[in-house]
Amino acid sequence: MRAIVVDETTQDLRLEDVPTPTPSSGEVLVRVAAAGINRADLLQRRGLYPPPPGVSTVLGMEVSGTIEALGPAVSGWRPGDEVCALIAGGGYAQYAVVPATQLLPVPDGVSIVDSAALPEVACTVWSNIEMEARLQPGETLLVHGGGSGIGTHAIQVAKALGATVAVTVGSEAKAARCRKLGADIVINYREQDFAAQLAGRVDVILDIMGAKYLSGNVSALAIGGRLVIIGMQGGTEGTLNIGALIGKRCKVIGTNVRNRPLTGPGSKAQIVTAVRNRVWPLIAEGLVQPVISARLPLAEAAQGQDLLNSADSVGKVLLLPEAP
Ligand SMILES: NC(=O)c1ccc[n+]([C@@H]2O[C@H](COP(=O)([O-])OP(=O)(O)OC[C@H]3O[C@@H](n4cnc5c(N)ncnc54)[C@H](OP(=O)(O)O)[C@@H]3O)[C@@H](O)[C@H]2O)c1
């Protein structure tokens, strides 16, 4: 099959022939219609975010497509089923192996290609704002990077849950898109200080900046607030005002999806099941839609990553192995 391979010396991305993977017990082989690009792929390309042991070294943490073959001990799925899936690696390819517990049906009202934009954001957002932070109707959620893949999905889900949503963005174009998606408060972080604007008013924060925003995030939290940190775009080591944390009875939580166990408590299987039960109906109702910045041929993986890394992209960039 054709897959994108990273040149270890130059870090260039090249389309090459590689062996087609074989599904092991509990896995299926998916013929890929589209693969989502995630910011973590850019780190993995630079050697900074290796896949978990035993997982394909090919980039790509989510795909959509058609089940081509079942490995041993898989039930509930058949060859020909149209699916999208969370994977720990191997997505930038014509075929990918997927643990059957991480398969989702293509949601009603979404094309098979566009459904590749959903698994990673849906699993990350739901596991954090609902399963970790227990966001309640009427509470206020602050999402940093409202125009990101994660942010555009989080705005829609939180609005569907009945929350007030604040976001930070770096441009007027992204501000306008976030308002259209339902954001109530939009703060351009290049012009305004979110901590001063929101001081003491935020119940849950979904943070991608880490160290740089730690102190501002704690200032923004209301009594009983929950700060969930899922990214470290602003560094890994910050200063935590413990007095403020104790005084406001707040929680600081760090999580990731990729390195969780496949099954059991706190597993990816649990998250995928919750997403299917709770988020897929919101998509079927039209309350949540995939937000897609571009659909590119697989051979243009490098251009796709550049686009995601630019200020121009809102939502997800997809790679299509079968594009002409
Ligand atoms: N822990 C996990 O399980 C997990 C899972 C998925 C994703 N993540 C993390 O979540 C983040 C988003 O992922 P993604 O794939 O959705 O990325 P993405 O689409 O590439 O978005 C990154 C965003 O960061 C924003 N940003 C940059 N500087 C900022 C600042 N100072 N303040 C606020 N926003 C800023 C950019 O917005 P502007 O252009 O407006 O600046 C951009 O929208 C990444 O850090 C990723 O590693 C974590």
Side-chain angles (χ1 to χ4, degrees):
M1 69 169 185
R2 308 286 274 164
I4 294 292
V5 171
V6 182
D7 183 309
E8 279 182 16
T9 313
T10 62
Q11 295 171 355
D12 287 340
L13 300 184
R14 284 195 310 266
L15 193 60
E16 287 187 2
D17 286 323
V18 304
T20 303
T22 309
S24 302
S25 182
E27 294 178 337
V28 307
L29 183 69
V30 171
R31 184 182 178 89
V32 176
I37 298 182
N38 287 279
R39 182 152 288 257
D41 303 344
L42 282 65
L43 292 178
Q44 185 173 335
R45 176 179 175 185
R46 290 161 52 208
L48 300 176
Y49 191 41
V55 168
S56 167
T57 56
V58 171
L59 303 180
M61 305 198 306
E62 61 190 335
V63 290
S64 64
T66 308
I67 295 183
E68 183 84 5
L70 305 182
V74 172
S75 58
W77 299 96
R78 286 179 310 190
D81 283 349
E82 295 191 339
V83 294
C84 56
L86 183 72
I87 49 178
Y92 291 20
Q94 283 182 304
Y95 292 91
V97 287
V98 179
T101 48
Q102 288 166 221
L103 290 167
L104 289 152
V106 172
D108 289 346
V110 178
S111 72
I112 186 167
V113 163
D114 288 0
S115 71
L118 290 167
E120 178 69 23
V121 294
C123 289
T124 303
V125 168
W126 192 259
S127 63
N128 284 296
I129 70 172
E130 209 289 331
M131 298 168 80
E132 292 285 351
R134 301 283 173 203
L135 179 69
Q136 301 297 310
E139 286 194 327
T140 297
L141 171 72
L142 167 61
V143 182
H144 289 302
S148 66
I150 294 287
T152 51
H153 184 80
I155 294 168
Q156 298 178 79
V157 171
K159 289 308 295 176
L161 291 177
T164 296
V165 179
V167 297
T168 55
V169 293
S171 69
E172 263 321 299
K174 287 193 180 180
R177 286 296 296 277
C178 289
R179 280 190 203 98
K180 217 166 173 187
L181 288 168
D184 303 284
I185 303 165
V186 179
I187 297 170
N188 186 329
Y189 65 79
R190 297 184 200 280
E191 295 166 1
Q192 292 169 294
D193 175 4
F194 77 87
Q197 297 278 318
L198 297 172
R201 289 167 54 197
V202 179
D203 300 292
V204 175
I205 302 177
L206 185 61
D207 177 59
I208 60 173
M209 295 306 294
K212 186 173 176 188
Y213 279 4
L214 183 58
S215 133
N217 279 335
V218 171
S219 301
L221 284 175
I223 289 173
R226 290 85 77 199
L227 164 61
V228 192
I229 306 177
I230 63 165
M232 39 200 174
Q233 291 176 209
T236 55
E237 290 183 26
T239 302
L240 184 62
N241 182 339
I242 293 168
L245 206 65
I246 291 175
K248 293 197 276 187
R249 302 188 300 282
C250 294
K251 292 189 176 76
V252 180
I253 304 164
T255 71
N256 78 81
V257 172
R258 193 190 202 189
N259 293 330
R260 286 173 182 257
L262 295 193
T263 56
S267 63
K268 293 188 219 186
Q270 267 190 348
I271 294 172
V272 169
T273 301
V275 162
R276 185 171 178 170
N277 291 338
R278 301 289 305 280
V279 182
W280 258 220
L282 303 178
I283 297 172
E285 276 184 70
L287 295 171
V288 175
Q289 292 174 344
V291 178
I292 297 168
S293 162
R295 301 167 190 81
L296 302 174
L298 179 60
E300 293 178 22
Q303 290 93 318
Q305 290 195 348
D306 288 347
L307 175 61
L308 190 79
N309 208 20
S310 74
D312 299 329
S313 182
V314 178
K316 304 283 300 191
V317 179
L318 302 182
L319 298 174
L320 282 53
E322 305 301 333

